[in-house]
Amino acid sequence: MRKAVCPGSFDPVTNGHLDIIGRTSELFDEVVVAIGVNKAKASARLFSAEERIEMLEKACAPYGNVTVAGFDGLLTTFCEDNGIKAIVKGLRAVSDFDYELQMAQMNSSLVDVETVFIPTSPEWSFLASSLVKEVAMFGGDVSGLIPPDVHTQLTERLAERARADKE
Ligand code: PNS
């Protein structure tokens, strides 16, 4: 059984993430989408871990060999605990590479795990959850960039935040 993990913050999941997850599901027997904590992005988080898990479970339902899980600590501990030897990451542009290479080397120095990079499909290479949130916050149309259910939840959450900011 070849098992891989697609880790990320997924706040929220985008069509770019799903592109990588779908293609990973064709390369491996089992894929776990693992929602972790990126310390650098923690303050900008819009959705709870439970909400992100639920959104991903719906979005990944078409892939029979993909499951979704959350994790708190190190990705390498998650890999060890789940018998996973491959971490799959999407690369959008060369600007992603420096940081991803550093993480890949750190992770493989900690445990016996390889990182596999998949180039993001060109149609999604500009896409990032942080940009989706920013564009949506200022009223831009992001409906073609995220799954429909996620779009509904994003619109509702931003409206809630806007109401709370006014009070
Ligand atoms: O979607 P992101 O924000 O790029 O995902 C980054 C994530 C969550 C995969 C990364 O920050 C991570 O692996 N966090 C878990 C903590 C950890 O293992 N840190 C050491 C990385 S070398």
Side-chain angles (χ1 to χ4, degrees):
M1 264 313 206
R2 298 249 171 220
K3 213 169 163 183
V5 63
C6 288
S9 309
F10 304 106
D11 187 55
V13 58
T14 69
N15 292 347
H17 293 129
L18 294 174
D19 166 48
I20 298 298
I21 293 166
R23 286 159 64 202
T24 304
S25 78
E26 290 179 15
L27 297 174
F28 290 87
D29 300 308
E30 260 182 57
V31 179
V32 184
V33 177
I35 302 175
V37 179
N38 182 340
K39 289 272 181 212
K41 297 180 183 170
S43 61
R45 204 173 302 132
L46 206 53
F47 296 101
S48 68
E50 292 72 27
E51 287 170 327
R52 285 176 281 153
I53 288 176
E54 205 178 302
M55 285 190 270
L56 270 158
E57 279 175 344
K58 262 193 203 160
C60 294
Y63 310 115
N65 60 343
V66 175
T67 55
V68 181
F71 71 99
D72 274 333
L74 286 174
L75 176 59
T76 47
T77 307
F78 181 85
C79 289
E80 273 191 320
D81 291 349
N82 291 278
I84 293 173
K85 296 243 186 278
I87 298 170
V88 176
K89 290 291 198 88
L91 284 183
R92 289 166 296 195
V94 75
S95 49
D96 280 343
F97 185 71
D98 279 351
Y99 182 51
E100 291 296 345
L101 178 66
Q102 193 180 17
M103 281 203 288
Q105 290 172 334
M106 174 61 88
N107 285 332
S108 69
S109 80
L110 296 173
V111 300
D112 179 21
V113 69
E114 292 289 353
T115 298
V116 178
F117 294 120
I118 294 185
T120 300
S121 297
E123 64 181 313
W124 307 122
S125 63
F126 61 93
L127 200 45
S129 299
S130 54
L131 273 185
V132 167
K133 286 186 280 191
E134 184 175 327
V135 171
M137 206 176 292
F138 289 109
D141 180 7
V142 294
S143 59
L145 308 176
I146 52 182
D149 288 342
V150 174
H151 186 245
T152 305
Q153 272 180 269
L154 178 62
T155 308
E156 283 171 7
R157 181 55 45 87
L158 290 175
E160 279 166 26
R161 288 280 169 104
R163 277 197 299 274
D165 284 350
K166 271 194 199 147
E167 285 166 13

Coordinates of all heavy atoms in Angstrom, one line a residue, residues 7-11 17 34-39 41 71-77 89 92 99-100 102-104 106-107 110 129, ligand 1:
P7 N -0.5 17.8 3.2 CA -0.7 18.6 4.3 C -0.9 20.1 3.9 O -0.5 20.5 2.9 CB 0.7 18.5 5.1 CG 1.7 18.3 4.0 CD 1.0 17.7 2.8
G8 N -1.6 20.8 4.8 CA -1.8 22.3 4.5 C -2.6 22.9 5.6 O -3.1 22.2 6.5
S9 N -2.8 24.2 5.5 CA -3.7 24.9 6.4 C -5.2 24.9 5.9 O -6.1 24.9 6.6 CB -3.3 26.4 6.5 OG -2.0 26.5 6.8
F10 N -5.3 24.9 4.5 CA -6.6 24.8 3.9 C -7.6 25.8 4.5 O -8.7 25.4 4.9 CB -7.1 23.4 4.0 CG -6.2 22.4 3.4 CD1 -5.5 21.5 4.2 CD2 -6.1 22.3 2.0 CE1 -4.6 20.5 3.7 CE2 -5.2 21.3 1.5 CZ -4.5 20.4 2.3
D11 N -7.3 27.1 4.6 CA -8.2 28.0 5.2 C -8.6 29.1 4.2 O -8.1 30.2 4.3 CB -7.5 28.7 6.4 CG -8.4 29.6 7.2 OD1 -9.4 29.1 7.7 OD2 -8.1 30.8 7.4
H17 N -5.8 23.5 -4.4 CA -5.5 22.3 -3.4 C -6.2 21.1 -4.0 O -5.5 20.0 -4.0 CB -6.2 22.6 -2.1 CG -5.6 23.7 -1.3 ND1 -6.4 24.7 -0.7 CD2 -4.3 24.0 -0.9 CE1 -5.6 25.5 0.0 NE2 -4.3 25.1 -0.1
A34 N -4.1 16.3 5.4 CA -3.9 16.6 6.8 C -3.9 18.1 7.1 O -3.1 18.8 6.5 CB -2.6 15.9 7.3
I35 N -4.8 18.5 7.9 CA -4.9 19.9 8.2 C -4.1 20.2 9.5 O -4.4 19.8 10.6 CB -6.4 20.3 8.5 CG1 -7.2 19.9 7.3 CG2 -6.6 21.7 8.8 CD1 -8.7 20.0 7.4
G36 N -3.0 21.0 9.2 CA -2.1 21.3 10.3 C -2.1 22.8 10.7 O -2.9 23.6 10.1
V37 N -1.2 23.1 11.6 CA -1.1 24.5 12.0 C 0.2 25.1 11.4 O 1.3 24.7 11.7 CB -1.0 24.6 13.6 CG1 -0.9 26.0 14.0 CG2 -2.3 24.0 14.2
N38 N 0.0 26.2 10.6 CA 1.1 27.0 10.1 C 1.2 28.2 11.0 O 0.3 29.1 11.0 CB 0.8 27.4 8.7 CG 2.0 28.2 8.1 OD1 2.8 28.7 8.8 ND2 2.1 28.2 6.8
K39 N 2.2 28.2 11.9 CA 2.3 29.3 13.0 C 2.2 30.7 12.3 O 1.6 31.6 12.9 CB 3.6 29.1 13.8 CG 3.6 27.9 14.7 CD 3.0 28.3 16.0 CE 3.0 27.1 17.0 NZ 1.9 27.1 17.9
K41 N 0.6 31.7 9.9 CA -0.7 32.2 9.4 C -1.8 32.1 10.5 O -2.9 32.4 10.2 CB -1.1 31.3 8.2 CG -0.2 31.3 7.0 CD -0.8 30.4 5.9 CE 0.1 30.3 4.7 NZ -0.3 29.2 3.8
F71 N -4.3 17.6 12.5 CA -3.2 17.3 13.4 C -2.6 18.6 14.1 O -2.8 19.6 13.5 CB -2.0 16.5 12.7 CG -1.2 17.3 11.7 CD1 0.0 17.8 12.1 CD2 -1.7 17.5 10.4 CE1 0.8 18.6 11.2 CE2 -0.9 18.3 9.5 CZ 0.3 18.8 9.9
D72 N -2.1 18.4 15.3 CA -1.7 19.6 16.1 C -0.2 19.8 16.1 O 0.2 21.0 16.0 CB -2.1 19.3 17.6 CG -3.5 19.8 17.8 OD1 -4.0 20.6 17.1 OD2 -4.1 19.2 18.7
G73 N 0.6 18.8 16.1 CA 2.0 18.9 16.3 C 2.8 19.0 15.0 O 2.4 19.6 14.0
L74 N 3.9 18.2 15.0 CA 4.7 18.2 13.8 C 4.1 17.3 12.8 O 3.6 16.2 13.1 CB 6.1 17.6 14.2 CG 7.1 18.5 14.9 CD1 8.3 17.8 15.4 CD2 7.4 19.8 14.1
L75 N 4.3 17.7 11.5 CA 3.8 16.8 10.4 C 4.6 15.5 10.4 O 4.0 14.4 10.1 CB 4.1 17.6 9.1 CG 3.8 16.8 7.8 CD1 2.3 16.4 7.7 CD2 4.2 17.7 6.6
T76 N 5.8 15.5 10.8 CA 6.6 14.2 10.8 C 6.1 13.3 11.8 O 6.1 12.0 11.6 CB 8.1 14.5 11.1 OG1 8.2 15.4 12.2 CG2 8.7 15.1 9.8
T77 N 5.6 13.8 13.0 CA 5.0 12.9 14.0 C 3.7 12.3 13.4 O 3.4 11.1 13.6 CB 4.6 13.7 15.3 OG1 5.8 14.4 15.7 CG2 4.1 12.8 16.4
K89 N 3.5 17.9 -1.9 CA 3.2 19.4 -1.9 C 3.1 19.9 -3.3 O 3.8 19.4 -4.2 CB 4.4 20.1 -1.3 CG 4.6 19.9 0.2 CD 3.5 20.5 1.0 CE 3.7 20.8 2.4 NZ 4.4 22.0 2.7
R92 N 3.5 26.1 -7.0 CA 2.9 27.0 -7.9 C 3.9 27.7 -8.8 O 3.7 28.0 -10.0 CB 2.1 28.0 -7.1 CG 0.8 27.5 -6.5 CD 0.2 28.4 -5.5 NE 1.2 28.7 -4.4 CZ 0.8 29.2 -3.3 NH1 -0.4 29.7 -3.1 NH2 1.7 29.4 -2.3
Y99 N 11.1 27.8 0.3 CA 10.5 27.4 1.6 C 10.2 26.0 1.6 O 10.4 25.3 2.6 CB 9.3 28.3 1.8 CG 8.6 28.1 3.2 CD1 9.3 28.1 4.4 CD2 7.3 27.9 3.2 CE1 8.7 27.9 5.6 CE2 6.6 27.7 4.4 CZ 7.3 27.7 5.6 OH 6.7 27.4 6.8
E100 N 9.6 25.5 0.5 CA 9.2 24.1 0.5 C 10.4 23.1 0.6 O 10.4 22.1 1.2 CB 8.4 23.8 -0.8 CG 7.0 24.4 -0.8 CD 6.1 23.9 0.3 OE1 6.3 22.9 0.9 OE2 5.1 24.6 0.5
Q102 N 13.2 23.8 2.1 CA 13.7 23.9 3.4 C 12.9 23.0 4.3 O 13.4 22.2 5.2 CB 13.6 25.3 3.9 CG 14.4 25.6 5.2 CD 14.3 27.0 5.6 OE1 13.4 27.8 5.2 NE2 15.2 27.4 6.5
M103 N 11.6 23.0 4.2 CA 10.7 22.2 5.0 C 10.9 20.7 4.7 O 10.9 19.8 5.6 CB 9.2 22.5 4.8 CG 8.8 23.8 5.5 SD 7.0 23.8 5.8 CE 6.4 24.2 4.2
A104 N 11.1 20.4 3.4 CA 11.3 19.0 3.0 C 12.5 18.4 3.6 O 12.6 17.3 4.1 CB 11.4 18.9 1.4
M106 N 14.1 19.6 6.3 CA 13.9 19.5 7.7 C 13.1 18.3 8.1 O 13.5 17.5 9.0 CB 13.2 20.8 8.3 CG 12.8 20.7 9.7 SD 14.2 20.6 10.8 CE 14.6 22.3 11.1
N107 N 12.0 18.0 7.4 CA 11.2 16.9 7.7 C 11.9 15.6 7.5 O 11.8 14.7 8.3 CB 9.9 16.9 6.8 CG 8.9 18.0 7.3 OD1 8.9 18.3 8.5 ND2 8.1 18.5 6.4
L110 N 14.2 14.7 10.3 CA 13.6 14.3 11.5 C 13.1 12.8 11.5 O 13.3 12.1 12.4 CB 12.4 15.2 11.8 CG 12.6 16.6 12.0 CD1 11.3 17.4 12.1 CD2 13.4 16.8 13.3
S129 N -5.0 30.6 -0.6 CA -6.2 30.8 0.3 C -6.2 32.2 0.8 O -7.2 32.9 0.9 CB -6.1 29.8 1.5 OG -6.2 28.5 1.0
Ligands
PNS1 O1 -0.9 25.4 3.6 P1 0.4 25.8 4.4 O2 0.1 26.9 5.3 O3 1.5 26.1 3.5 O4 0.7 24.5 5.2 C1 1.9 24.5 6.0 C2 1.9 23.2 6.9 C3 0.7 23.3 7.8 C4 1.9 22.0 6.1 C5 3.2 23.4 7.7 O5 3.2 24.6 8.4 C6 3.3 22.2 8.7 O6 3.8 21.1 8.4 N1 3.0 22.5 10.0 C7 3.0 21.5 11.1 C8 4.1 21.9 12.0 C9 5.5 21.4 11.5 O7 5.7 20.2 11.2 N2 6.4 22.3 11.4 C10 7.7 22.1 10.9 C11 7.8 22.2 9.3 S1 9.4 21.8 8.8

